[in-house]
DNA sequence: TGGACGTATAGATAAACATCAATTTGACAC
DNA sequence: GTGTCAAATTGATGTTTATCTATACGTCCA
């Protein structure tokens, strides 16, 4: 699993989120591996458009990808997303703290 | 203080954040009241541009405004911002919970 | 009621961006 | 190698958006 954990600015983070199609993609690959074709089937945009959005999400460090044979599977990096959300809150809402809930492994 | 607490989608929320000038404005009015002219002085964009961005932030429920005489003062609604961040995390990172830290008044 | 000041709106323009069709690249099977 | 399928890239197009200038609106004071 090639993990590209870029450190991006809050502007880049927000821009990556600021599109309906990308948010649909994020919801679809939030908790599982999905191929590009899976996404194309579930969205009403063409395959190159899906690839375009996946590239933006990947550059923002919000998805990870993994090739399996002819297919490439994507999944959302929930930790990166959560860190981005916390960073935005920390930067702009210092009086209204937002924290990641760390689940301590037993 | 006219509070416009709109319930907006995560897409609208992200779009409101997705601009460098708006993030600068948010930082400047994060913890205090600032007039439009204050913002114009501290940013290198024209006054109508500042007003334009303030309108977008206001429509997103992220700033509150208050007229005092000839001036209009804006301030960031930190709670709305924090709620937006939590909503994004909740929607897309359910396995990586992010919570607002509620400070209990004594 | 003017004028001055601060802010908002209207209209124009250029840059950014989402989308698509066409093509290329990559991986596998024969 | 050749064909096939999956995904990425290229190039074009229309829309969105950030910005500006010019103007209108709102408030206060003389």
């Amino acid at each position: 699993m090639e993990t590209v954990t870029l450190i991006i600015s809050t502007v880049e983070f927000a821009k990556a989120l600021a599109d309906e199609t990308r948010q649909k993609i994020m919801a679809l690959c939030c908790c599982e591996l999905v191929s590009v074709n899976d996404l194309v089937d579930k969205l009403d945009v063409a395959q190159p458009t899906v690839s375009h959005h996946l590239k933006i999400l990947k550059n923002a460090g919000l998805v990870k990808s993994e090739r399996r044979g002819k297919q490439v599977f994507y999944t959302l990096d929930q930790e990166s997303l959560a860190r981005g959300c916390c960073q935005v809150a920390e930067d702009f809402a210092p009086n209204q703290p937002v924290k990641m809930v760390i689940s301590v492994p037993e």
Side-chain angles (χ1 to χ4, degrees), chain A residues 45-64:
Chain A
V45 292
Q47 175 266 315
T49 301
V50 172
S51 286
H52 165 73
H53 287 302
L54 287 169
K55 188 176 190 177
I56 290 170
L57 292 172
K58 182 132 191 188
N59 286 340
L62 292 176
V63 296
K64 297 179 275 192

Side-chain angles (χ1 to χ4, degrees), chain A residues 16-89:
Chain A
L17 296 181
D19 180 83
E20 185 169 6
T21 300
R22 281 199 291 279
Q23 288 204 2
K24 286 180 182 171
I25 289 173
M26 289 192 292
L28 288 169
C29 71
C30 157
C31 299
E32 57 183 330
L33 288 175
V34 292
S35 70
V36 177
N37 260 342
D38 287 342
L39 293 170
V40 173
D41 288 345
K42 290 173 182 167
L43 299 167
D44 50 356
V45 292
Q47 175 266 315
T49 301
V50 172
S51 286
H52 165 73
H53 287 302
L54 287 169
K55 188 176 190 177
I56 290 170
L57 292 172
K58 182 132 191 188
N59 286 340
L62 292 176
V63 296
K64 297 179 275 192
S65 67
E66 175 187 10
R67 178 175 279 277
R68 288 187 187 170
K70 284 181 277 194
Q71 302 183 84
V72 178
F73 289 84
Y74 285 83
T75 192
L76 193 69
D77 184 338
Q78 292 195 27
E79 191 191 328
S80 287
L81 183 81
R83 273 192 284 104
C85 291
C86 289
Q87 187 66 52
V88 169

Side-chain angles (χ1 to χ4, degrees), chain A residues 100-106:
Chain A
M100 290 174 66
V101 178
I102 307 299
S103 57
V104 182
E106 302 171 18

